Amino acid sequence: MAFALAEAGYAALRTGDRREAARLLRAALDSAPEPAQAAQWRADLRRLTKRVFVSSYWVARRALGQADVLAGQRALTGPQAGLTLGVRLDPLARRPVDATARINVAPASAGVPGGQRQAALGLAWRPLGGDALVLAAERLVALDGSGRNDWLARASGGVGRGFGPTLEAPNVGFMRASMGRRL
């Protein structure tokens, strides 16, 4: 019985029905006796219902010269690093929405003396359910004289293991592309 419930839960997850997948995995765990796979089912259920996440990134790219910057305005260019703290508003939603707070830092070598520091607060929506496509709207907040206060709409996504409604290892071999526009 437990195996059939868990199998149905994973089938629901493959179709994007995160709520039904969680219900079926819980039912499989509640059935007795406890099978050897229960530890994996618990781990998958925790990942599925996780609300808070932290992610980081580092981008290595050529710094733009002043002539390359649009309209002569500063923007985070060249190499940079960032840290994002997010809260998934409903982790079992078919198309989750996250509230995010992000900080980006670029070293002085990125083309602006003293480097750049900027934060962003916003919402990110996953219309396909996973990381294959993320649409975000953010308020940029300058943390020093080199940052900017502005609005940003961004679309990002990628392909690889860890995207979509599956519970595979997150972001292993994941490639992401991102583009945005100030509003």
Side-chain angles (χ1 to χ4, degrees):
M1 173 84 165
F3 291 106
L5 288 168
E7 186 175 307
Y10 289 114
L13 186 60
R14 284 189 295 276
T15 67
D17 192 346
R18 299 168 61 88
R19 199 168 308 282
E20 181 67 2
R23 186 189 73 74
L24 289 165
L25 284 174
R26 281 189 194 102
L29 288 166
D30 290 343
S31 65
E34 186 168 291
Q37 291 83 355
Q40 182 63 51
W41 298 345
R42 266 192 215 85
D44 290 343
L45 184 59
R46 275 193 305 276
R47 237 185 331 237
L48 189 59
T49 58
K50 187 166 118 176
R51 283 191 178 272
V52 177
F53 62 89
V54 177
S55 64
S56 62
Y57 70 90
W58 177 71
V59 177
R61 63 181 170 209
R62 178 184 68 87
L64 296 177
Q66 188 61 31
D68 296 327
V69 178
L70 293 176
Q73 295 185 12
R74 295 180 186 172
L76 284 173
T77 63
Q80 61 181 276
L83 180 70
T84 301
L85 171 65
V87 176
R88 181 136 310 148
L89 302 181
D90 179 0
L92 296 178
R94 189 175 286 269
R95 294 169 184 86
V97 175
D98 302 329
T100 60
R102 181 169 55 87
I103 186 166
N104 296 336
V105 177
S109 64
V112 175
Q116 298 170 309
R117 287 164 291 287
Q118 182 171 275
L121 301 171
L123 293 174
W125 178 49
R126 289 166 164 67
L128 303 178
D131 288 331
L133 176 63
V134 179
L135 304 175
E138 299 175 318
R139 176 64 181 166
L140 303 176
V141 179
L143 297 179
D144 59 20
S146 66
R148 60 187 315 146
N149 294 307
D150 211 340
W151 289 95
L152 176 72
R154 180 172 43 86
S156 62
V159 295
R161 286 187 63 198
F163 82 96
T166 64
L167 286 174
E168 297 178 48
N171 299 332
V172 174
F174 190 78
M175 297 195 61
R176 176 177 293 277
S178 180
M179 59 187 218
R181 176 172 170 83
R182 288 181 299 134
L183 301 176

